[in-house]
Amino acid sequence: MPDRDTLNPSPPSPETPWHAADAEQVLNQLSSNSQGLENTEAERRLGLYGPNALPAPRPTPVWLRFLRHFNNSLILFLLSAAVVAGLLGHYVDASVIVVVVTVNAIVGFIQEGKAEQALSALRSMLAPTARVLRAGERIAVDVETLVPGDILLLEAGDRVPADARLLRARGLRADESILTGESVPVEKSADPVSGEADLGGRTSMLYSGTLIASGQATAVVVATGARTQIGHIGALLGKVESLETPLLQQIGRFGRGFTFVALAAAAVLFVFAVLVRDYAWVDALMIVVALAVGVVPEGLPAVITITLAIGVRRMAARNAIVRRLPAVETLGATTVICSDKTGTLTRNEMTVRSVTSRAGMVTVSGGGYAPSGTLSAPEDDGSALAAARRIARIGLLCNDAKLTEFDGQWRVDGDPMEGALLAFAGKAGFDERTLLAELPRRDEVPFDAAHRFMATLHADEKEGGALVCVKGAPEQMLALCAVQASADGGPEPLDHDFWRSAIDAAAADGQRVLGFAWRRHAEMPQRFALEDVGDLVFAGIVGFIDPPREEAIRAVADCRAAGIQVKMITGDHAATAAAIAAQLHLADDIRVVTGQELDHVSDDELQTLALSASVFARTTPEHKLRIVRALQSCSHVVAMTGDGVNDAPSLKQADIGIAMGNKGTEAAKEASEMVLADDNFASIDAAVYEGRAVYDNIRKVVGWTVPTNGGEALAIVLALLAGWVLPMTAPQILWINMVLTVTLGLALAFEPPEPGIMRRPPRRSDAPLVSPFMLWRILLVSVLFSVGAFGIFSWGQGLGHDVETSRTMVVNMFCVMEIFYLFSVRYMHGSSFTLEGLKGTPAVLLAILAVVLAQLAFTYLPWMHAVFDSRPVPLFEGVVIVLSGLAMMVFLEVEKWVLRRLGVFDELRLASDAAEEH
């Protein structure tokens, strides 16, 4: 989008973009001049354009955020059942349902924490005051009062308060990483650039929210407030609607289907009871309510929420902080991770990687700014290593940065590339204090974009005379040199072809290149100015790179093994991005697409391109948003990582946005569902592992809970259809649900992941929560539970026990079957007949102990007899009940083995293959 368009929301006609027009033309278009606006004119424009501030977001009321947790089909059905139960006098049933639903909402509300504040975070990127020229006078004004046409005065350390076109610049570099993702400050000048230049290539522009890294500038404001680039990102962010996570979609579908089946079954049962069995309608309605009590898994939402909360705690221990509860399992469903490069896949720390001299190439090890590493040359070539040390000495002397160590972390104060040179000098064995004492600096020529080099003059305290050290753009350095250093260090004629080839090779490898040169003077020069820098000896070139994290390389490999594609979306140059992608092994065939190419691709064509490309370079926030949406339109579940303001819209659009905790901006964090405390891509791999485990545990909870309720409901329906005595009363059904859900059901939330969980392909986003295999299991176990209930009831009656004792035996039978079924469902796909499977976890053993104690109380305590109409069960009958539960578990394990052998269900086959690979 042309910068000119940002001045006026509806320009009369397309005009020359600000970055492509010369400075005088820009001033004329803005009706301004180099002395600045008159105060009266500034006030008039403030009324016309409005304050230089971003629109405030509408906060979500606390009460509305709380009520959102009740907007779920299953929850609404539970509340409806509670209302009906209360109207019919079943106050205990109604109270229990209301309590568990409310607890579920409170847990989710507390875990989610504060509402999104992404736009507020963007507003904080603006500086509070700015220095401007008004009517020729230099004054400080509030940033909000800046208007188009104001003349800004900027220097190193300032935050740019509005989008501005440079008028004059001296040694100017701007850190635009929050907008472009580039890790190195950009050289700026007042010269116009091509109108087709992308955001990172508009060197004549300064953008609101970026930082002046070095130099001084005078610039004219061309856009303020919502019309700036950062304002444009804020507008994109405001238009992005949050997506429902795959789990919420699945629970919603499950809840709607469950509600429909339950209501239909209740209606049919009511009609049957009244018309066929001649029940009074009130009695029939009470039976339907008893059925609802049996069939509704009232504890399921709370247990799912607690399972997610446990996942949050596990992820936090692995440096992944979850801000919104359902996002815990979204990573488990993720099929594509779109990652920013700088600071996410890479260290965001420039490092010297190669040194090329006429003696040969030297490779430098170590990463970041720590001065620890080694220099290595082919066959330990001594002349190449000596030449590299000479270049390292120049890099240390011709340097204004400082390295500091804090808590074991090395940080740079100054230009990142100069910091990398200091670390390189340390690796080469130089001590900064010693060298500066031998060669103290006497003068310098600062870096400027106009001449593209920096030069320093040093007195040689040992040998006398002076030493000039120069570093800068390789082409400029070659132009300043008369000779080059030979392999042995002596002078020889310049070999331009050799150096062009070396520079091209380093650039093709994604390295940024600086050239180095020196000159000796027999005596200290009387003056040292720009025109005095010449007749140099070219020493060589140094290649810099922001290296990939070692742990990120391993994490990418793990993600690919788990069937997850990793794509890089960055504002950096294509060659640099491609080189990092190759080192990360993002794909077998690295395909790079640039932002300019994306501008000419339709949304339909982008779907195909987004699937095939591995790297997207020189991208804008709009490009990132389009890429994420294109992948989502192909049914992918997309996770997006990032740390800059430019990442915020796509972070919010993604199914799960992941921000960096240390180097990430507040805008990125507030737009994300998850924040990485250590800024480490490898933590995403750990979070995927935990996310898949959480989803597995939720399915285990569902697969274990629903058959209990199904068996109870089926027993009531069969008794009603056949005209038999009900094998359980409504209070006894409620007892079973309450005791088992808060003990055995909750124990499943603590289950460790099954083997091979990271070797399975991601689940489909439209996959149902209850898969075909789970549905089969639920139906089978429900029938087994119902058969067990009627079998034990009939046997009790046959032994001469009264109805109350037989019903007590049925309640105990249900609890025993659930205990043994728990051991089977702990390994949904594999065998439970292993030492690890049979000994259980501490949570399982504690839950079983609690159930056993509760059932002993239910069966043998007199006051429990009065409440639930239970009776003592003889020892022999108790042993038979336990053996019946064991027999059911054996049957289910044999059934699971047979299904695996026959390959009936894909889910079992894939999980079995993954476990074998593991």
Side-chain angles (χ1 to χ4, degrees):
M1 182 171 63
D3 287 84
R4 175 61 184 164
D5 294 350
T6 64
L7 173 63
N8 192 315
S10 55
S13 62
E15 299 183 49
T16 304
W18 296 121
H19 55 271
D22 63 41
E24 284 301 320
Q25 183 182 357
V26 171
L27 287 172
N28 290 335
Q29 288 180 353
L30 292 169
S31 300
S32 184
N33 58 66
S34 60
Q35 298 302 305
L37 301 173
E38 297 291 335
N39 289 325
T40 54
E41 175 63 14
E43 291 177 4
R44 186 190 73 80
R45 295 191 183 192
L46 184 61
L48 176 63
Y49 296 108
N52 180 33
L54 300 183
R58 291 183 181 178
T60 303
V62 174
W63 61 268
L64 181 58
R65 288 193 289 113
F66 181 71
L67 289 181
R68 282 176 180 171
H69 294 275
F70 294 92
N71 187 23
N72 177 282
S73 300
L74 189 57
I75 297 293
L76 294 175
F77 179 71
L78 288 169
L79 291 175
S80 301
V83 170
V84 174
L87 292 175
L88 295 175
H90 291 242
Y91 300 117
V92 175
D93 300 356
S95 299
V96 169
I97 293 174
V98 169
V99 167
V100 296
V101 167
T102 304
V103 168
N104 172 70
I106 291 173
V107 171
F109 177 77
I110 292 174
Q111 187 64 47
E112 285 189 1
K114 61 183 179 178
E116 291 187 33
Q117 298 173 346
L119 297 180
S120 296
L122 279 169
R123 291 203 309 277
S124 70
M125 297 299 297
L126 299 178
T129 61
R131 291 184 299 277
V132 299
L133 281 177
R134 290 264 175 95
E137 293 186 10
R138 177 177 177 144
I139 61 173
V141 299
D142 289 339
V143 163
E144 290 194 357
T145 64
L146 286 177
V147 295
D150 263 330
I151 304 299
L152 291 174
L153 304 172
L154 299 164
E155 58 187 30
D158 287 347
R159 190 180 293 277
V160 180
D163 286 5
R165 170 65 166 84
L166 283 169
L167 301 178
R168 288 181 294 279
R170 177 175 173 79
L172 188 66
R173 293 184 183 181
D175 180 354
E176 297 182 338
S177 59
I178 64 165
L179 287 178
T180 64
E182 283 203 55
S183 55
V184 176
V186 180
E187 298 174 9
K188 296 287 186 176
S189 74
D191 298 330
V193 297
S194 168
E196 300 299 318
D198 56 32
L199 192 66
R202 298 173 189 175
T203 54
S204 58
M205 294 292 299
L206 295 174
Y207 291 106
S208 179
T210 61
L211 288 169
I212 302 299
S214 63
Q216 297 175 332
T218 303
V220 58
V221 173
V222 298
T224 58
R227 292 177 290 275
T228 61
Q229 283 294 327
I230 200 170
H232 182 56
I233 293 173
L236 284 177
L237 189 60
K239 293 176 184 177
V240 175
E241 295 185 5
S242 299
L243 298 179
E244 195 175 39
T245 69
L247 177 64
L248 291 180
Q249 294 172 0
Q250 292 171 339
I251 290 178
R253 288 194 294 266
F254 172 72
R256 289 189 292 271
F258 186 90
T259 302
F260 175 78
V261 172
L263 289 176
V268 171
L269 191 63
F270 177 80
V271 172
F272 180 84
V274 172
L275 298 181
V276 178
R277 294 299 177 192
D278 295 325
Y279 277 76
W281 73 269
V282 174
D283 294 335
L285 190 58
M286 291 185 69
I287 291 176
V288 168
V289 170
L291 174 63
V293 171
V295 76
V296 172
E298 59 269 8
L300 184 58
V303 173
I304 287 177
T305 300
I306 292 169
T307 305
L308 291 171
I310 292 168
V312 167
R313 189 182 67 188
R314 287 179 175 176
M315 287 186 177
R318 305 185 76 165
N319 296 309
I321 301 167
V322 176
R323 298 181 63 246
R324 297 183 182 93
L325 200 59
V328 174
E329 61 75 44
T330 307
L331 274 173
T334 297
T335 56
V336 178
I337 298 175
C338 294
S339 177
D340 188 40
K341 176 184 72 69
T342 306
T344 308
L345 292 167
T346 67
R347 300 173 62 97
N348 197 20
E349 297 173 338
M350 296 304 291
T351 300
V352 172
R353 182 59 70 229
S354 66
V355 183
T356 303
S357 67
R358 204 62 185 89
M361 178 181 286
V362 169
T363 303
V364 184
S365 67
Y369 299 120
S372 56
T374 59
L375 279 62
S376 57
E379 301 178 358
D380 291 328
D381 187 341
S383 59
L385 292 171
R389 292 190 78 252
R390 287 194 291 270
I391 294 173
R393 186 176 75 154
I394 297 172
L396 191 155
L397 293 171
C398 188
N399 202 309
D400 288 330
K402 295 292 180 186
L403 287 182
T404 55
E405 183 184 15
F406 182 75
D407 287 342
Q409 296 292 319
W410 286 86
R411 304 183 186 279
V412 62
D413 179 13
D415 185 87
M417 295 177 77
E418 290 195 330
L421 288 172
L422 292 180
F424 168 44
K427 297 171 186 177
F430 289 104
D431 178 77
E432 184 176 3
R433 289 186 179 181
T434 303
L435 189 59
L436 290 178
E438 295 175 357
L439 294 162
R441 186 188 295 191
R442 293 289 184 253
D443 206 345
E444 69 275 326
V445 175
F447 177 88
D448 192 287
H451 53 254
R452 302 180 67 199
F453 67 80
M454 173 185 176
T456 54
L457 176 66
H458 302 265
D460 193 333
E461 300 292 351
K462 279 188 175 181
E463 300 180 13
L467 175 68
V468 175
C469 296
V470 191
K471 73 174 189 297
E475 301 83 359
Q476 185 68 14
M477 298 301 299
L478 287 168
L480 293 171
C481 292
V483 294
Q484 67 187 23
S486 64
D488 59 8
E492 67 179 21
L494 271 174
D495 186 345
H496 286 276
D497 291 339
F498 172 82
W499 294 116
R500 287 195 194 95
S501 176
I503 293 167
D504 291 343
D509 201 28
Q511 298 181 15
R512 300 174 188 271
V513 184
L514 283 182
F516 293 79
W518 56 276
R519 179 184 177 184
R520 280 203 167 274
H521 290 277
E523 297 181 358
M524 178 65 65
Q526 296 298 314
R527 63 189 295 273
F528 188 66
L530 176 63
E531 55 271 18
D532 298 315
V533 180
D535 292 328
L536 305 176
V537 179
F538 193 75
I541 61 172
V542 169
F544 301 78
I545 198 164
D546 179 11
R549 297 172 180 265
E550 291 297 326
E551 58 273 26
I553 297 174
R554 295 190 295 270
V556 168
D558 286 345
C559 288
R560 293 186 65 188
I564 301 170
Q565 300 178 52
V566 181
K567 297 182 183 293
M568 181 192 297
I569 306 179
T570 179
D572 212 340
H573 295 280
T576 304
I580 296 296
Q583 293 178 50
L584 287 163
H585 306 293
L586 285 191
D588 295 332
D589 181 23
I590 304 294
R591 181 181 179 186
V592 182
V593 177
T594 64
Q596 287 188 340
E597 293 176 71
L598 291 176
D599 287 334
H600 299 92
V601 172
S602 68
D603 288 343
D604 290 338
E605 294 171 326
L606 183 56
Q607 292 182 15
T608 303
L609 188 61
L611 293 175
S612 61
S614 306
V615 178
F616 297 90
R618 305 302 282 176
T619 55
T620 64
E622 293 96 328
H623 293 147
K624 294 184 178 185
L625 207 53
R626 287 185 65 204
I627 293 165
V628 171
R629 286 173 174 165
L631 290 167
Q632 288 172 331
S633 67
C634 298
S635 299
H636 279 290
V637 177
V638 181
M640 174 75 190
T641 74
D643 57 2
V645 175
N646 59 324
D647 298 320
S650 48
L651 285 171
K652 188 176 179 183
Q653 173 67 42
D655 296 278
I656 178 167
I658 307 168
M660 303 299 110
N662 291 330
K663 296 176 181 175
T665 61
E666 286 302 309
K669 294 175 189 175
E670 295 301 333
S672 301
E673 284 76 27
M674 194 169 84
V675 178
L676 297 185
D678 59 354
D679 289 11
N680 195 335
F681 185 86
S683 295
I684 300 175
D685 179 39
V688 170
Y689 179 83
E690 295 295 346
R692 290 189 173 191
V694 165
Y695 184 73
D696 267 9
N697 288 349
I698 288 173
R699 294 181 73 233
K700 290 174 185 178
V701 169
V702 172
W704 178 87
T705 303
V706 175
T708 304
N709 301 83
E712 294 164 357
L714 187 59
I716 293 173
V717 171
L718 290 176
L720 186 61
L721 292 176
W724 299 335
V725 177
L726 292 178
M728 291 173 291
T729 64
Q732 289 172 345
I733 293 173
L734 186 62
W735 166 260
I736 295 172
N737 291 354
M738 181 176 65
V739 168
L740 295 180
T741 298
V742 300
T743 53
L744 301 182
L746 193 56
L748 288 171
F750 296 87
E751 280 297 294
E754 292 189 37
I757 195 170
M758 287 298 286
R759 290 295 180 270
R760 303 181 205 161
R763 70 179 189 275
R764 288 170 44 195
S765 59
D766 59 348
L769 184 64
V770 177
S771 64
F773 168 65
M774 279 185 65
L775 180 61
W776 157 256
R777 249 320 172 76
I778 288 170
L779 294 174
L780 174 63
V781 176
S782 296
V783 170
L784 290 177
F785 279 14
S786 183
V787 169
F790 276 112
I792 209 73
F793 184 80
S794 300
W795 183 57
Q797 293 280 279
L799 292 175
H801 293 305
D802 56 21
V803 171
E804 289 75 14
T805 302
S806 298
R807 283 175 171 167
T808 304
M809 292 169 62
V810 169
V811 172
N812 280 284
M813 183 67 182
F814 258 101
C815 291
V816 168
M817 286 191 296
E818 284 289 5
I819 289 173
F820 281 103
Y821 179 47
L822 178 74
F823 280 93
S824 178
V825 84
R826 286 185 62 225
Y827 293 88
M828 291 186 67
H829 311 109
S831 173
S832 298
F833 284 143
T834 62
L835 180 61
E836 194 70 26
L838 293 176
K839 74 179 183 181
T841 63
V844 167
L845 297 179
L846 286 173
I848 291 174
L849 178 62
V851 170
V852 170
L853 293 176
Q855 280 308 112
L856 290 175
F858 175 87
T859 306
Y860 297 107
L861 290 183
W863 67 270
M864 295 288 277
H865 297 166
V867 174
F868 291 102
D869 204 19
S870 57
R871 297 291 185 272
V873 174
L875 178 61
F876 176 73
E877 283 82 339
V879 172
V880 171
I881 289 171
V882 172
L883 292 176
S884 299
L886 178 61
M888 185 199 71
M889 179 183 175
V890 172
F891 174 81
L892 289 175
E893 287 302 299
V894 171
E895 170 258 353
K896 199 191 305 181
W897 178 82
V898 170
L899 291 178
R900 282 201 307 271
R901 296 284 292 181
L902 297 178
V904 177
F905 296 105
D906 290 340
E907 178 182 337
L908 276 179
R909 179 180 52 79
L910 292 173
S912 179
D913 293 344
E916 289 177 5
E917 288 181 25
H918 176 78

